[in-house]
């Protein structure tokens, strides 16, 4: 039998421990979150209280829970792009089974404990990290934080937040600034809370999706290709077609069937530092808001007139969250983007900060120069 290992994750006043009978799972959590949150090993035999994710490689436990769920009334839902069979018993405990991933979940809400049983180690590690992050989110939301749909960079503890829908340029803005020496805080979501006279900002650790064209424009394409050819790996959620394109030296964008969504490179959080040489920030305070828009017809990037302000879609919520709905009851009755009072407080404070609508061109160098000057002047 393998020796159990444990990793504790912390940010602000929230924490969760990941416990497993296979070290791959806890090492994965430490690697995935350690760049933006605090992550450290703890003795497995000391884990007895507090929020806990137990994730064991245990095919029998998976098989037993799968049979249990199928034998009783259950719902069929989607979680992390996979089918999930979901049942709840009279005690309030929730059991979920993902047949295609070979995963079973058991959520004991009152004990803040989620148990995972997996048939193979990599899906188990991914799921354990996902649930641990959701438990941190739930804890932060209960403590008055909100979750915004924004990228963020930090300089001298001052955070510049970029808002916009998919394809607007949030990730492009953040990566261009990070490539110029600004600390990268987040590429798609941030936690925000009014603390005294400041709006404190925390990262939401996640793999970053970067298009082949943007990767090439940043001068990072060959870095990634060389690493892959040397046997290193990107995040396992990356489509094999993207990996094949990188290895073959193809730089043009790849599209899913139908051409509606670009298939992108999936970068681990720690690879921003180890592969790209970018510095990461663990917190900051909100200083200004950007609303970027990429316009192929624009010859030069510029600040433009407009009255764009924050809207409902700029907060992550039940209506905007699509991949990780709270099927396991971790957040209880709190909206996925924070309580109404917390959201209103954050929105009011954000409204007092400088707002800049910007148009970006297809000239990456010009965009980087423009954004770097704009950030320095804020």
């Amino acid at each position: 039998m393998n020796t159990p290992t444990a990793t504790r994750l912390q940010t602000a006043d929230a924490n969760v421990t990941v416990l497993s009978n296979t070290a791959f799972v806890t090492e994965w959590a430490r690697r995935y979150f350690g760049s933006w949150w605090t992550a450290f090993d703890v003795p497995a035999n000391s884990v007895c209280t507090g929020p806990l994710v137990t994730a064991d490689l245990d095919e029998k436990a998976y098989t037993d829970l799968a049979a249990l769920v199928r034998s009783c009334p259950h719902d069929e839902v989607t979680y992390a792009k996979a089918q999930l069979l979901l049942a709840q018993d009279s005690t309030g405990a929730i059991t979920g089974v993902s047949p295609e991933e070979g995963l079973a979940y058991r959520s004991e809400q009152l004990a803040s404990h989620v148990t995972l049983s997996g048939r193979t180690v990599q899906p188990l590690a991914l799921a354990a990290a996902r649930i641990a992050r959701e438990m941190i989110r739930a804890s932060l939301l209960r403590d008055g934080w909100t979750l915004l749909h924004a990228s963020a960079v930090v300089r001298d503890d001052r955070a510049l937040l970029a808002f916009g829908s998919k394809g607007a340029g949030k990730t492009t803005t953040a990566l261009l600034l990070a490539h110029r020496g600004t600390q990268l805080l987040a590429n798609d979501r941030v936690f925000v809370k009014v603390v005294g006279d400041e709006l404190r900002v925390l990262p939401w650790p996640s793999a970053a999706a970067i298009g082949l064209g943007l990767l090439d424009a940043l001068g990072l394409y060959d870095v990634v290709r060389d690493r892959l050819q040397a046997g290193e790996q990107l995040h396992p959620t990356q489509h094999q077609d993207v990996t094949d394109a990188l290895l073959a030296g193809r730089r043009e964008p790849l599209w899913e069937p139908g051409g509606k969504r670009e298939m992108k490179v999936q970068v681990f959080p720690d690879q921003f530092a180890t592969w790209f040489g970018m510095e990461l920030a663990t917190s900051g305070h909100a200083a200004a808001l950007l609303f970027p828009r990429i316009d192929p017809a624009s010859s030069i990037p510029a600040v433009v007139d407009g009255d764009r302000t924050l809207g409902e879609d700029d907060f992550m919520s039940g209506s905007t969250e699509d991949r990780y709905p709270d099927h396991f009851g971790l957040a209880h009755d709190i909206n996925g983007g924070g309580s109404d009072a917390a959201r209103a407080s954050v929105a009011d404070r954000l409204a007092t900060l400088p707002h800049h609508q910007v148009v970006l061109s297809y000239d990456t160098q010009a965009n980087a120069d423009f954004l770097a000057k704009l950030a320095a002047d804020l």
Side-chain angles (χ1 to χ4, degrees), residues 272-304:
F272 285 115
T274 59
W275 288 24
F276 301 157
M278 297 179 181
E279 187 176 353
L280 305 184
T282 57
S283 67
H285 75 269
L289 284 65
L290 286 184
F291 299 97
R293 175 171 57 87
I294 298 175
D295 184 356
S298 176
S299 58
I300 58 172
V303 176
V304 296

mmCIF file of all heavy atoms in Angstrom, residues 272-304:
data_model
loop_
_atom_site.group_PDB
_atom_site.id
_atom_site.type_symbol
_atom_site.label_atom_id
_atom_site.label_comp_id
_atom_site.label_asym_id
_atom_site.label_seq_id
_atom_site.Cartn_x
_atom_site.Cartn_y
_atom_site.Cartn_z
ATOM 1 N N PHE A 272 4.365 29.793 -16.724
ATOM 2 C CA PHE A 272 4.580 31.211 -17.010
ATOM 3 C C PHE A 272 5.962 31.638 -16.520
ATOM 4 O O PHE A 272 6.652 32.418 -17.172
ATOM 5 C CB PHE A 272 3.507 32.063 -16.324
ATOM 6 C CG PHE A 272 2.166 32.005 -16.986
ATOM 7 C CD1 PHE A 272 1.082 31.450 -16.342
ATOM 8 C CD2 PHE A 272 1.982 32.519 -18.268
ATOM 9 C CE1 PHE A 272 -0.159 31.397 -16.939
ATOM 10 C CE2 PHE A 272 0.744 32.465 -18.886
ATOM 11 C CZ PHE A 272 -0.331 31.909 -18.215
ATOM 12 N N ALA A 273 6.345 31.123 -15.364
ATOM 13 C CA ALA A 273 7.651 31.476 -14.801
ATOM 14 C C ALA A 273 8.763 30.612 -15.361
ATOM 15 O O ALA A 273 9.786 31.115 -15.831
ATOM 16 C CB ALA A 273 7.603 31.369 -13.277
ATOM 17 N N THR A 274 8.572 29.280 -15.352
ATOM 18 C CA THR A 274 9.666 28.374 -15.706
ATOM 19 C C THR A 274 9.940 28.332 -17.207
ATOM 20 O O THR A 274 11.082 28.131 -17.618
ATOM 21 C CB THR A 274 9.376 26.952 -15.199
ATOM 22 O OG1 THR A 274 8.147 26.486 -15.783
ATOM 23 C CG2 THR A 274 9.258 26.929 -13.679
ATOM 24 N N TRP A 275 8.912 28.514 -18.032
ATOM 25 C CA TRP A 275 9.102 28.499 -19.485
ATOM 26 C C TRP A 275 9.233 29.899 -20.064
ATOM 27 O O TRP A 275 10.044 30.133 -20.946
ATOM 28 C CB TRP A 275 7.936 27.792 -20.176
ATOM 29 C CG TRP A 275 7.890 26.306 -20.009
ATOM 30 C CD1 TRP A 275 8.447 25.558 -19.009
ATOM 31 C CD2 TRP A 275 7.238 25.379 -20.881
ATOM 32 N NE1 TRP A 275 8.168 24.226 -19.186
ATOM 33 C CE2 TRP A 275 7.425 24.086 -20.327
ATOM 34 C CE3 TRP A 275 6.500 25.505 -22.048
ATOM 35 C CZ2 TRP A 275 6.901 22.933 -20.922
ATOM 36 C CZ3 TRP A 275 5.973 24.358 -22.640
ATOM 37 C CH2 TRP A 275 6.184 23.093 -22.080
ATOM 38 N N PHE A 276 8.402 30.833 -19.567
ATOM 39 C CA PHE A 276 8.304 32.144 -20.202
ATOM 40 C C PHE A 276 9.063 33.238 -19.466
ATOM 41 O O PHE A 276 9.186 34.356 -19.972
ATOM 42 C CB PHE A 276 6.836 32.561 -20.331
ATOM 43 C CG PHE A 276 5.980 31.615 -21.118
ATOM 44 C CD1 PHE A 276 4.601 31.591 -20.939
ATOM 45 C CD2 PHE A 276 6.531 30.745 -22.047
ATOM 46 C CE1 PHE A 276 3.798 30.731 -21.665
ATOM 47 C CE2 PHE A 276 5.744 29.880 -22.784
ATOM 48 C CZ PHE A 276 4.370 29.870 -22.597
ATOM 49 N N GLY A 277 9.543 32.945 -18.263
ATOM 50 C CA GLY A 277 10.281 33.938 -17.507
ATOM 51 C C GLY A 277 9.439 35.071 -16.975
ATOM 52 O O GLY A 277 9.963 36.147 -16.639
ATOM 53 N N MET A 278 8.133 34.882 -16.867
ATOM 54 C CA MET A 278 7.245 35.910 -16.326
ATOM 55 C C MET A 278 7.181 35.815 -14.809
ATOM 56 O O MET A 278 7.210 34.720 -14.248
ATOM 57 C CB MET A 278 5.833 35.766 -16.911
ATOM 58 C CG MET A 278 5.749 35.970 -18.402
ATOM 59 S SD MET A 278 4.052 35.745 -19.025
ATOM 60 C CE MET A 278 4.305 36.022 -20.788
ATOM 61 N N GLU A 279 7.060 36.943 -14.157
ATOM 62 C CA GLU A 279 6.922 36.966 -12.711
ATOM 63 C C GLU A 279 5.441 36.949 -12.354
ATOM 64 O O GLU A 279 4.639 37.656 -12.973
ATOM 65 C CB GLU A 279 7.590 38.211 -12.129
ATOM 66 C CG GLU A 279 7.649 38.230 -10.614
ATOM 67 C CD GLU A 279 8.404 39.421 -10.060
ATOM 68 O OE1 GLU A 279 8.994 40.164 -10.863
ATOM 69 O OE2 GLU A 279 8.398 39.601 -8.826
ATOM 70 N N LEU A 280 5.078 36.156 -11.351
ATOM 71 C CA LEU A 280 3.682 36.038 -10.944
ATOM 72 C C LEU A 280 3.449 36.789 -9.642
ATOM 73 O O LEU A 280 4.314 36.834 -8.770
ATOM 74 C CB LEU A 280 3.298 34.571 -10.784
ATOM 75 C CG LEU A 280 3.544 33.669 -11.998
ATOM 76 C CD1 LEU A 280 3.027 32.266 -11.736
ATOM 77 C CD2 LEU A 280 2.892 34.254 -13.254
ATOM 78 N N ALA A 281 2.266 37.364 -9.503
ATOM 79 C CA ALA A 281 1.862 38.072 -8.283
ATOM 80 C C ALA A 281 0.871 37.227 -7.513
ATOM 81 O O ALA A 281 0.059 36.508 -8.102
ATOM 82 C CB ALA A 281 1.240 39.427 -8.626
ATOM 83 N N THR A 282 0.914 37.298 -6.204
ATOM 84 C CA THR A 282 -0.017 36.538 -5.366
ATOM 85 C C THR A 282 -1.159 37.401 -4.832
ATOM 86 O O THR A 282 -2.119 36.867 -4.277
ATOM 87 C CB THR A 282 0.726 35.902 -4.187
ATOM 88 O OG1 THR A 282 1.386 36.923 -3.434
ATOM 89 C CG2 THR A 282 1.768 34.901 -4.679
ATOM 90 N N SER A 283 -1.064 38.719 -4.993
ATOM 91 C CA SER A 283 -2.136 39.617 -4.558
ATOM 92 C C SER A 283 -1.840 41.017 -5.071
ATOM 93 O O SER A 283 -0.782 41.277 -5.655
ATOM 94 C CB SER A 283 -2.259 39.640 -3.027
ATOM 95 O OG SER A 283 -1.109 40.234 -2.440
ATOM 96 N N GLY A 284 -2.770 41.923 -4.860
ATOM 97 C CA GLY A 284 -2.599 43.319 -5.226
ATOM 98 C C GLY A 284 -3.838 44.086 -4.826
ATOM 99 O O GLY A 284 -4.779 43.516 -4.260
ATOM 100 N N HIS A 285 -3.869 45.394 -5.079
ATOM 101 C CA HIS A 285 -5.100 46.146 -4.867
ATOM 102 C C HIS A 285 -5.494 46.822 -6.177
ATOM 103 O O HIS A 285 -4.645 47.311 -6.925
ATOM 104 C CB HIS A 285 -4.968 47.165 -3.729
ATOM 105 C CG HIS A 285 -4.174 48.388 -4.051
ATOM 106 N ND1 HIS A 285 -2.817 48.475 -3.828
ATOM 107 C CD2 HIS A 285 -4.557 49.586 -4.571
ATOM 108 C CE1 HIS A 285 -2.389 49.665 -4.191
ATOM 109 N NE2 HIS A 285 -3.414 50.361 -4.645
ATOM 110 N N ALA A 286 -6.788 46.797 -6.475
ATOM 111 C CA ALA A 286 -7.292 47.289 -7.750
ATOM 112 C C ALA A 286 -7.021 48.774 -7.880
ATOM 113 O O ALA A 286 -7.345 49.559 -6.987
ATOM 114 C CB ALA A 286 -8.780 47.002 -7.870
ATOM 115 N N ALA A 287 -6.417 49.173 -9.022
ATOM 116 C CA ALA A 287 -6.070 50.578 -9.241
ATOM 117 C C ALA A 287 -6.743 51.165 -10.477
ATOM 118 O O ALA A 287 -6.970 52.378 -10.535
ATOM 119 C CB ALA A 287 -4.554 50.731 -9.363
ATOM 120 N N ALA A 288 -7.057 50.344 -11.481
ATOM 121 C CA ALA A 288 -7.677 50.853 -12.705
ATOM 122 C C ALA A 288 -8.303 49.711 -13.481
ATOM 123 O O ALA A 288 -7.961 48.536 -13.273
ATOM 124 C CB ALA A 288 -6.638 51.578 -13.564
ATOM 125 N N LEU A 289 -9.222 50.065 -14.388
ATOM 126 C CA LEU A 289 -9.929 49.084 -15.205
ATOM 127 C C LEU A 289 -9.664 49.358 -16.675
ATOM 128 O O LEU A 289 -9.687 50.515 -17.115
ATOM 129 C CB LEU A 289 -11.431 49.146 -14.951
ATOM 130 C CG LEU A 289 -12.008 48.533 -13.674
ATOM 131 C CD1 LEU A 289 -11.520 49.279 -12.428
ATOM 132 C CD2 LEU A 289 -13.538 48.577 -13.714
ATOM 133 N N LEU A 290 -9.421 48.309 -17.425
ATOM 134 C CA LEU A 290 -9.293 48.392 -18.878
ATOM 135 C C LEU A 290 -10.406 47.578 -19.525
ATOM 136 O O LEU A 290 -10.767 46.507 -19.044
ATOM 137 C CB LEU A 290 -7.945 47.848 -19.352
ATOM 138 C CG LEU A 290 -6.682 48.675 -19.129
ATOM 139 C CD1 LEU A 290 -5.492 47.978 -19.774
ATOM 140 C CD2 LEU A 290 -6.832 50.079 -19.660
ATOM 141 N N PHE A 291 -10.907 48.071 -20.640
ATOM 142 C CA PHE A 291 -11.902 47.354 -21.430
ATOM 143 C C PHE A 291 -11.350 47.237 -22.849
ATOM 144 O O PHE A 291 -11.611 48.087 -23.709
ATOM 145 C CB PHE A 291 -13.235 48.093 -21.419
ATOM 146 C CG PHE A 291 -13.832 48.249 -20.043
ATOM 147 C CD1 PHE A 291 -13.650 49.423 -19.331
ATOM 148 C CD2 PHE A 291 -14.539 47.210 -19.457
ATOM 149 C CE1 PHE A 291 -14.178 49.564 -18.064
ATOM 150 C CE2 PHE A 291 -15.078 47.344 -18.190
ATOM 151 C CZ PHE A 291 -14.898 48.527 -17.477
ATOM 152 N N PRO A 292 -10.527 46.214 -23.104
ATOM 153 C CA PRO A 292 -9.889 46.098 -24.422
ATOM 154 C C PRO A 292 -10.826 45.523 -25.482
ATOM 155 O O PRO A 292 -11.783 44.801 -25.181
ATOM 156 C CB PRO A 292 -8.730 45.138 -24.148
ATOM 157 C CG PRO A 292 -9.222 44.270 -23.031
ATOM 158 C CD PRO A 292 -10.074 45.164 -22.173
ATOM 159 N N ARG A 293 -10.511 45.862 -26.718
ATOM 160 C CA ARG A 293 -11.218 45.300 -27.871
ATOM 161 C C ARG A 293 -10.224 45.201 -29.011
ATOM 162 O O ARG A 293 -9.547 46.181 -29.349
ATOM 163 C CB ARG A 293 -12.408 46.185 -28.266
ATOM 164 C CG ARG A 293 -13.136 45.742 -29.529
ATOM 165 C CD ARG A 293 -14.419 46.537 -29.720
ATOM 166 N NE ARG A 293 -14.193 47.968 -29.768
ATOM 167 C CZ ARG A 293 -13.882 48.658 -30.882
ATOM 168 N NH1 ARG A 293 -13.727 47.993 -32.036
ATOM 169 N NH2 ARG A 293 -13.712 49.967 -30.855
ATOM 170 N N ILE A 294 -10.090 44.015 -29.595
ATOM 171 C CA ILE A 294 -9.180 43.825 -30.723
ATOM 172 C C ILE A 294 -9.931 44.114 -32.012
ATOM 173 O O ILE A 294 -10.966 43.505 -32.288
ATOM 174 C CB ILE A 294 -8.612 42.395 -30.731
ATOM 175 C CG1 ILE A 294 -7.801 42.135 -29.448
ATOM 176 C CG2 ILE A 294 -7.737 42.172 -31.962
ATOM 177 C CD1 ILE A 294 -7.301 40.718 -29.304
ATOM 178 N N ASP A 295 -9.412 45.082 -32.777
ATOM 179 C CA ASP A 295 -10.064 45.499 -34.017
ATOM 180 C C ASP A 295 -9.087 45.321 -35.179
ATOM 181 O O ASP A 295 -8.103 46.067 -35.297
ATOM 182 C CB ASP A 295 -10.492 46.964 -33.913
ATOM 183 C CG ASP A 295 -11.279 47.428 -35.143
ATOM 184 O OD1 ASP A 295 -11.419 46.633 -36.092
ATOM 185 O OD2 ASP A 295 -11.739 48.585 -35.144
ATOM 186 N N PRO A 296 -9.329 44.341 -36.066
ATOM 187 C CA PRO A 296 -8.418 44.114 -37.197
ATOM 188 C C PRO A 296 -8.275 45.336 -38.106
ATOM 189 O O PRO A 296 -7.267 45.483 -38.792
ATOM 190 C CB PRO A 296 -9.068 42.947 -37.949
ATOM 191 C CG PRO A 296 -9.967 42.293 -36.952
ATOM 192 C CD PRO A 296 -10.449 43.386 -36.052
ATOM 193 N N ALA A 297 -9.282 46.220 -38.091
ATOM 194 C CA ALA A 297 -9.246 47.393 -38.962
ATOM 195 C C ALA A 297 -8.434 48.538 -38.366
ATOM 196 O O ALA A 297 -8.146 49.523 -39.053
ATOM 197 C CB ALA A 297 -10.669 47.869 -39.256
ATOM 198 N N SER A 298 -8.083 48.412 -37.084
ATOM 199 C CA SER A 298 -7.338 49.490 -36.430
ATOM 200 C C SER A 298 -5.870 49.424 -36.830
ATOM 201 O O SER A 298 -5.240 48.368 -36.783
ATOM 202 C CB SER A 298 -7.475 49.371 -34.915
ATOM 203 O OG SER A 298 -6.683 50.347 -34.259
ATOM 204 N N SER A 299 -5.305 50.565 -37.209
ATOM 205 C CA SER A 299 -3.897 50.604 -37.607
ATOM 206 C C SER A 299 -2.977 50.757 -36.408
ATOM 207 O O SER A 299 -1.833 50.279 -36.426
ATOM 208 C CB SER A 299 -3.661 51.750 -38.591
ATOM 209 O OG SER A 299 -4.037 52.995 -38.014
ATOM 210 N N ILE A 300 -3.452 51.428 -35.353
ATOM 211 C CA ILE A 300 -2.648 51.623 -34.153
ATOM 212 C C ILE A 300 -3.539 51.447 -32.926
ATOM 213 O O ILE A 300 -4.727 51.761 -32.960
ATOM 214 C CB ILE A 300 -1.970 53.013 -34.114
ATOM 215 C CG1 ILE A 300 -3.034 54.119 -34.196
ATOM 216 C CG2 ILE A 300 -0.941 53.163 -35.213
ATOM 217 C CD1 ILE A 300 -2.478 55.502 -33.966
ATOM 218 N N PRO A 301 -2.993 50.941 -31.818
ATOM 219 C CA PRO A 301 -3.786 50.845 -30.585
ATOM 220 C C PRO A 301 -4.016 52.236 -30.002
ATOM 221 O O PRO A 301 -3.182 53.133 -30.155
ATOM 222 C CB PRO A 301 -2.910 49.988 -29.672
ATOM 223 C CG PRO A 301 -1.518 50.213 -30.167
ATOM 224 C CD PRO A 301 -1.622 50.424 -31.648
ATOM 225 N N ALA A 302 -5.149 52.398 -29.308
ATOM 226 C CA ALA A 302 -5.465 53.723 -28.783
ATOM 227 C C ALA A 302 -6.539 53.629 -27.711
ATOM 228 O O ALA A 302 -7.318 52.670 -27.666
ATOM 229 C CB ALA A 302 -5.946 54.638 -29.912
ATOM 230 N N VAL A 303 -6.580 54.648 -26.856
ATOM 231 C CA VAL A 303 -7.704 54.831 -25.945
ATOM 232 C C VAL A 303 -8.837 55.453 -26.746
ATOM 233 O O VAL A 303 -8.627 56.393 -27.526
ATOM 234 C CB VAL A 303 -7.317 55.749 -24.764
ATOM 235 C CG1 VAL A 303 -8.530 56.009 -23.870
ATOM 236 C CG2 VAL A 303 -6.195 55.132 -23.952
ATOM 237 N N VAL A 304 -10.046 54.950 -26.595
ATOM 238 C CA VAL A 304 -11.183 55.445 -27.366
ATOM 239 C C VAL A 304 -12.276 55.924 -26.430
ATOM 240 O O VAL A 304 -12.326 55.556 -25.254
ATOM 241 C CB VAL A 304 -11.732 54.348 -28.308
ATOM 242 C CG1 VAL A 304 -10.692 53.970 -29.352
ATOM 243 C CG2 VAL A 304 -12.176 53.121 -27.526
#
